[in-house]
């Protein structure tokens, strides 16, 4: 049985993807496997909290992590590694 992902997990998957490569909204929805409407809801929250920034290039909107977003992602990775040490899948 497939376990549903929490919204927090989806957010961190989005942050990781943006950190790893140049992304548009359609790339994010495809690789993170979420509906576009869900992405727009999360995008609004990430922009409002200054974790990502959007920029226009060649007629498309792309996303970058802000310093605040990079810090949050790094802390999440540390937390995830700590949980793994204790045998807890996160």
């Amino acid at each position: 049985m497939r376990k549903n992902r929490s919204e927090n997990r989806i957010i961190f998957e989005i942050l990781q993807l943006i950190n790893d490569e140049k992304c548009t909204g359609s790339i994010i929805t495809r690789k993170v496997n979420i509906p576009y409407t869900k992405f727009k809801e999360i995008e609004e929250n990430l922009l409002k909290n200054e974790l990502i920034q959007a920029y226009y290039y060649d007629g498309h909107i792309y996303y970058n992590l802000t310093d605040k977003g990079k810090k949050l992602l790094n802390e999440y990775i540390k937390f995830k590694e700590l949980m793994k040490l204790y045998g807890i899948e996160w």
Side-chain angles (χ1 to χ4, degrees), residues 19-79:
N19 188 58
D20 292 346
E21 62 185 81
K22 189 175 177 179
C23 292
T24 62
S26 60
I27 291 170
I28 293 168
T29 58
R30 187 173 63 251
K31 291 194 174 185
V32 178
N33 194 26
I34 57 172
Y36 189 74
T37 53
K38 181 67 175 174
F39 166 69
K40 292 305 283 181
E41 175 187 312
I42 292 171
E43 174 210 33
E44 182 181 333
N45 186 23
L46 295 175
L47 288 167
K48 182 180 75 171
N49 288 295
E50 299 177 349
L51 297 172
I52 64 170
Q53 60 186 9
Y55 66 96
Y56 293 92
Y57 178 76
D58 200 24
H60 299 283
I61 300 173
Y62 290 90
Y63 300 93
N64 279 333
L65 289 185
T66 62
D67 289 338
K68 190 175 170 183
K70 288 177 185 176
K71 183 176 180 182
L72 179 63
L73 180 60
N74 288 332
E75 293 299 321
Y76 172 75
I77 290 168
K78 288 179 192 176
F79 174 74

